[in-house]
């Protein structure tokens, strides 16, 4: 399974890259706003840190505008993936960008049938948002399972990129279901490294080491 980091904070990206655990990056307009920096400045810095796919989201809601924005964004780095919202105009943009061999990530996906349409349009990635579904008392992980099954049934090449991950269980279940990628905030990456038995074990090893003649 590939692991992307879901942030526009370059320090977090650098730290995760140093740990060797990330294969790519996803951003969205809210994360860019949180960084307090210019979109293009952030992207230029991210593509210097990683060669992996970096999702950058368009803000146009018409296909012509999306395609124009995509043309500018891909100039920043060859690993830029264009993030497109799951709307009718978005599907048109995905089709056109796919024909130009520009990679896309269809975002804001909340149903398996939206994911089916994204795959038919030729999306490189589809991003089901599990946490936001859980927030409204739907089982977010259930749609991941459905999407993986549908894509397997018909041999779609679109990769399932699980997004809106809020905790390690979301990641564990996504991996069990065979999702291709998960994008995870730094807070969850740090949670994944921890286990009380690891901490206790390390403390004991270091304590016992004091009794080893030096
Ligand atoms: C990533 O592609 C998504 O934009 C992100 O995971 C959304 O996460 P959130 O629901 O926690 O904002």
């Amino acid at each position: 399974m590939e692991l992307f980091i879901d942030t526009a904070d370059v320090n977090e990206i650098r730290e995760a890259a140093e740990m060797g655990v990330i294969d790519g990056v996803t951003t969205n307009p809210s994360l860019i706003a949180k960084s307090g920096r210019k979109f293009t400045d952030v992207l230029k810095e991210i593509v210097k840190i990683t060669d992996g796919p970096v999702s950058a989201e368009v803000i146009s809601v018409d296909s012509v505008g999306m395609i124009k924005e995509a043309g500018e964004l891909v100039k920043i780095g060859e690993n830029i993936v264009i993030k497109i919202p799951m709307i009718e105009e978005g599907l048109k943009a995905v089709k056109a960008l796919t024909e130009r061999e520009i990679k896309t990530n269809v975002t804001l996906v909340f149903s398996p049938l939206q994911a089916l349409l994204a795959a038919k349009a030729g999306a490189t990635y589809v991003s089901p948002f599990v946490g936001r579904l859980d927030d409204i008392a739907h089982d977010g992980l259930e749609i991941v399972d459905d999407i993986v099954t549908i894509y397997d049934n018909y041999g779609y090449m679109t990769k399932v990129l699980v997004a809106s991950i809020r905790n390690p269980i979301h990641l564990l279940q996504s991996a069990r279901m065979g999702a291709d990628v998960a994008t995870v905030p730094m807070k969850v990456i740090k949670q994944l490294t921890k286990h009380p038995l690891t901490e206790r074990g390390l403390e004991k090893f270091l304590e016992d080491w004091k009794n080893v003649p030096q």
Side-chain angles (χ1 to χ4, degrees):
M1 180 185 224
E2 286 185 303
L3 205 58
F4 293 175
I5 186 167
D6 194 26
T7 185
D9 179 332
V10 290
N11 292 324
E12 287 185 347
I13 297 167
R14 212 169 274 121
E15 190 183 349
E18 278 168 9
M19 283 194 268
V21 295
I22 58 153
D23 303 293
V25 178
T26 53
T27 66
N28 65 34
S30 305
L31 293 170
I32 297 288
K34 197 171 153 199
S35 78
R37 301 178 60 200
K38 269 183 71 180
F39 187 25
T40 49
D41 289 350
V42 176
L43 289 179
K44 281 177 193 163
E45 213 171 324
I46 296 175
V47 298
K48 277 191 205 146
I49 303 170
T50 178
D51 293 334
V54 176
S55 285
E57 191 158 341
V58 296
I59 43 119
S60 297
V61 288
D62 65 292
S63 60
V64 174
M66 290 175 188
I67 293 163
K68 192 159 172 275
E69 279 185 63
E72 292 304 312
L73 290 170
V74 292
K75 286 183 195 160
I76 294 172
E78 56 188 28
N79 50 339
I80 294 282
V81 174
I82 307 301
K83 219 171 168 194
I84 306 264
M86 177 55 228
I87 55 177
E88 289 178 29
E89 287 294 305
L91 291 175
K92 291 182 200 169
V94 169
K95 179 178 185 295
L97 293 171
T98 304
E99 283 165 2
R100 292 175 202 182
E101 297 188 351
I102 293 176
K103 291 186 174 155
T104 56
N105 172 1
V106 174
T107 189
L108 292 168
V109 166
F110 295 96
S111 85
L113 294 176
Q114 286 182 319
L116 175 63
L117 294 184
K120 289 190 74 68
T124 318
Y125 298 95
V126 67
S127 289
F129 276 34
V130 295
R132 292 192 194 187
L133 277 167
D134 287 358
D135 289 346
I136 57 158
H138 282 247
D139 183 355
L141 286 163
E142 194 181 350
I143 74 156
V144 174
D145 206 20
D146 284 344
I147 297 168
V148 170
T149 303
I150 291 168
Y151 284 7
D152 283 352
N153 284 349
Y154 298 101
Y156 287 115
M157 300 305 288
T158 302
K159 289 186 174 181
V160 181
L161 192 175
V162 184
S164 189
I165 285 188
R166 305 272 166 79
N167 57 58
I169 301 298
H170 280 153
L171 180 61
L172 176 64
Q173 294 291 65
S174 300
R176 283 186 174 143
M177 287 167 184
D180 302 284
V181 193
T183 188
V184 184
M186 191 58 172
K187 179 179 156 243
V188 175
I189 293 178
K190 287 187 184 277
Q191 285 175 328
L192 298 175
T193 65
K194 296 191 192 334
H195 194 286
L197 291 180
T198 306
E199 281 160 35
R200 214 179 306 154
L202 181 59
E203 270 172 32
K204 178 84 171 89
F205 284 156
L206 295 179
E207 195 52 40
D208 288 347
W209 187 252
K210 290 179 185 160
N211 300 323
V212 175
Q214 301 296 319

